[in-house]
Amino acid sequence: MSYQDWFRQDRLPHIYCSGCGNGTVINCTLMAVDELGWKEEETVFVSGIGCSSRASGYIVTDSLHTTHGRALPFATGVKLSNPDLNVVVFTGDGDLAAIGGNHFIHACRRNIDLTVICMNNQIYGMTGGQGSPTTPAGALSTTTPYGSSEPAFDLSELAVAAGANFVARWTSYHVKELTRAIGAGMRTPGLSFIETMTQCPTNYGRRNKLRQVTDQVEFMKNHTALRQKLDRMRESGQKVPTDIIAIGEFVRRDRPAMGVRR
Amino acid sequence: MRLVIDQDRCKGCNLCTLVCPYRIFLPGKTLNRKGVVVPELDRPERCTNCRLQKLYGRTLCGLCVMICPDQAIRWEEEEPHEPHKVAIEY
Ligand SMILES: Cc1ncc(C[n+]2csc(CCOP(=O)(O)OP(=O)(O)O)c2C)c(N)n1
Ligand code: SF4
Ligand code: SF4
Ligand code: SF4
């Protein structure tokens, strides 16, 4: 099989805008699933509401496209009622961190054996570009017309603090590393959280001086650095620019997990 | 194998032009029948995977296929195999 066989070919091309990073993240996820050799009938994709959450509908396996923010409670139900299933959650930053924020920290605390893939485009894409809890300070959106004045959530650090067993962050530019991290997360028992910074050219890039899709991806490439490297810079007393995003693996540990296959 | 861009799926985002180490993808210049400016292929027979996939028995590179958000890039089998003369400048 190849990753293409996991797509519902009759539903392609998908509705995403030209250059939307969500499509890349679906590719990487399906390549990881394909490499692991999971079976279609044993795999379930669950998602909430948002552009990112439409991903589950393009995949041949059974999937649940649930209500806004509630992907994790639905996924918890699926996994605990049948621990033999592989459950993967697709979610957006608004879906996971705003309306679904509480579900997120409690799913991490319970450490349920899910793989949660968050496509963090730092904006509410589907509803027209309102600011989300991860919109960086100073960024323009329809609800922050003078630039966001709030600090943004660091979702990966939040997941580490709340107790997830595996946490990693990559971007939709780092396709190989992202695929490897998703595979590692899927193999780890307990909650695996993979945050991917993605581009939303329509609602984020267009408002924030990143007019071309490639500009936004180049920006991600130039404004990310490995976590370990940033730590080393801090230790040696160097100043780390505030707009650099830490990428890489954040944690891999063995806390007691729920819903692990018997 | 031969590298192809699906004219019905490509939305012209040019992300493929960013990742190919051989710069096989070049930004296109003309609209296709769907009104999309699809990238042009510059000597696609240079693609690592097209040349060496059979020899190694696994996918090599594949960055363009992975990053293409619209699943528009694929490799096609050539039947019968057409030998290409490939010049790669370093
Ligand atoms: C209960 C409820 N509140 C609000 C909405 C409207 N709504 C739909 S999608 C969305 C935001 C989605 O943003 P995000 O999760 O970041 O996904 P993206 O579209 O950016 O991928 C909102 C607020 C809704 N559908 N249901
Ligand atoms: S609005 Fe943004 S997130 Fe939604 S499909 Fe378009 S580019 Fe993607
Ligand atoms: S597989 Fe690699 S070398 Fe071949 S066209 Fe794609 S990016 Fe270029
Ligand atoms: S990455 Fe895919 S959709 Fe974008 S221009 Fe290249 S072939 Fe077309």
Side-chain angles (χ1 to χ4, degrees), chain A residues 117-152:
Chain A
I117 299 168
C118 177
M119 307 176 191
N120 180 358
N121 52 15
Q122 309 181 311
I123 201 104
Y124 284 2
M126 180 170 267
T127 43
Q130 294 82 2
S132 87
T134 57
T135 303
L140 302 185
S141 70
T142 50
T143 49
T144 57
Y146 307 110
S148 174
S149 52
E150 304 167 5

Side-chain angles (χ1 to χ4, degrees), chain A residues 97-98 101 105 120 132-135 150-156 158 169 195:
Chain A
I105 54 176
N120 180 358
S132 87
T134 57
T135 303
E150 304 167 5
F153 249 147
D154 185 326
L155 298 181
S156 292
L158 186 65
R169 172 162 54 212
E195 180 183 0

Side-chain angles (χ1 to χ4, degrees), chain B residues 59-72:
Chain B
T59 307
L60 296 148
C61 184
L63 282 177
C64 54
V65 174
M66 289 173 97
I67 207 164
C68 174
D70 289 281
Q71 295 80 38

Side-chain angles (χ1 to χ4, degrees), chain A residues 10 53 55 61 76 94 110 113 133 142 184 202 214 219 237 247 257:
Chain A
D10 56 321
S53 297
T61 66
T76 305
R110 292 182 181 129
D113 189 19
T142 50
T202 307
T214 40
F219 182 88
I247 51 172

Side-chain angles (χ1 to χ4, degrees), chain A residues 81-259:
Chain A
S81 61
N82 186 357
D84 291 336
L85 294 174
N86 304 310
V87 185
V88 182
V89 177
F90 283 121
T91 181
D93 48 314
D95 198 51
L96 186 81
I99 191 168
N102 248 310
H103 299 305
F104 177 42
I105 54 176
H106 291 289
C108 291
R109 172 180 64 85
R110 292 182 181 129
N111 212 2
I112 302 152
D113 189 19
L114 307 169
T115 306
V116 182
I117 299 168
C118 177
M119 307 176 191
N120 180 358
N121 52 15
Q122 309 181 311
I123 201 104
Y124 284 2
M126 180 170 267
T127 43
Q130 294 82 2
S132 87
T134 57
T135 303
L140 302 185
S141 70
T142 50
T143 49
T144 57
Y146 307 110
S148 174
S149 52
E150 304 167 5
F153 249 147
D154 185 326
L155 298 181
S156 292
E157 294 289 3
L158 186 65
V160 173
N165 257 359
F166 179 91
V167 178
R169 172 162 54 212
W170 290 102
T171 76
S172 53
Y173 173 77
H174 300 91
V175 281
K176 293 261 176 187
E177 294 90 338
L178 176 61
T179 308
R180 222 175 296 137
I182 293 175
M186 285 171 169
R187 273 191 298 267
T188 311
L191 195 132
S192 312
F193 179 66
I194 296 106
E195 180 183 0
T196 62
M197 310 304 293
T198 55
Q199 68 277 17
C200 170
T202 307
N203 281 317
Y204 188 88
R206 192 163 57 95
R207 292 199 175 83
N208 289 284
K209 299 202 185 95
L210 300 163
R211 289 213 145 251
Q212 301 295 326
V213 179
T214 40
D215 294 347
Q216 210 175 349
V217 175
E218 293 260 24
F219 182 88
M220 288 201 289
K221 177 180 156 192
N222 299 331
H223 289 78
T224 47
L226 275 181
R227 228 183 107 242
Q228 290 81 347
K229 184 181 168 197
L230 293 179
D231 284 346
R232 253 183 280 128
M233 280 171 78
R234 271 188 217 99
E235 269 168 30
S236 63
Q238 271 175 284
K239 249 183 97 69
V240 177
T242 45
D243 58 348
I244 296 284
I245 300 169
I247 51 172
E249 197 172 299
F250 280 66
V251 81
R252 195 193 286 233
R253 60 188 163 195
D254 200 14
R255 278 183 69 239
M258 286 176 79

Side-chain angles (χ1 to χ4, degrees), chain A residues 11-12 33 36 46 52 69 80 86 128 130 137 165-166 197 247:
Chain A
R11 300 257 294 167
L12 295 177
V33 166
L36 286 178
V46 184
S52 38
L80 294 189
N86 304 310
Q130 294 82 2
N165 257 359
F166 179 91
M197 310 304 293
I247 51 172

